[in-house]
Amino acid sequence: QYQYDARVKAQADTYSKMEPADAAEILSEMTAGDLDLVAGILGGMSSSKSSLILAEMDPERAAQITKKMTYSK
């Protein structure tokens, strides 16, 4: 579990350094296959970073991720 958490946090750091539109595009593609992972990555960022990425996503996809992030904790 710890190794998984550390890897997710490392990905959160990586994606938070990208342009929000670029991160949103990649994470949107990932959502179809692994919503939990995308929610974990965005959840590992500051809310100011994750909000910029979510704002660049399709609203329906952003809503799915937000629900996952909210109810999985």
Side-chain angles (χ1 to χ4, degrees), residues 24-67:
E25 185 176 353
I26 296 166
L27 292 172
S28 290
E29 287 296 320
M30 290 172 56
T31 300
D34 200 342
L35 183 61
D36 291 336
L37 178 58
V38 174
I41 290 170
L42 288 170
M45 296 179 189
S46 68
S47 59
S48 60
K49 295 283 186 181
S50 63
S51 65
L52 293 173
I53 294 170
L54 286 166
E56 292 287 339
M57 291 183 169
D58 171 76
E60 184 177 326
R61 192 150 305 211
Q64 290 174 328
I65 295 166
T66 301
K67 286 179 188 176

Side-chain angles (χ1 to χ4, degrees), residues 1-2 6 8-10 16 20-21 23 39-40 45-46 49 54-55 58-59 64 69 73:
Q1 179 68 27
Y2 174 75
V8 171
K9 180 59 179 156
S16 70
M45 296 179 189
S46 68
K49 295 283 186 181
L54 286 166
D58 171 76
Q64 290 174 328
M69 289 169 61
K73 294 198 175 196

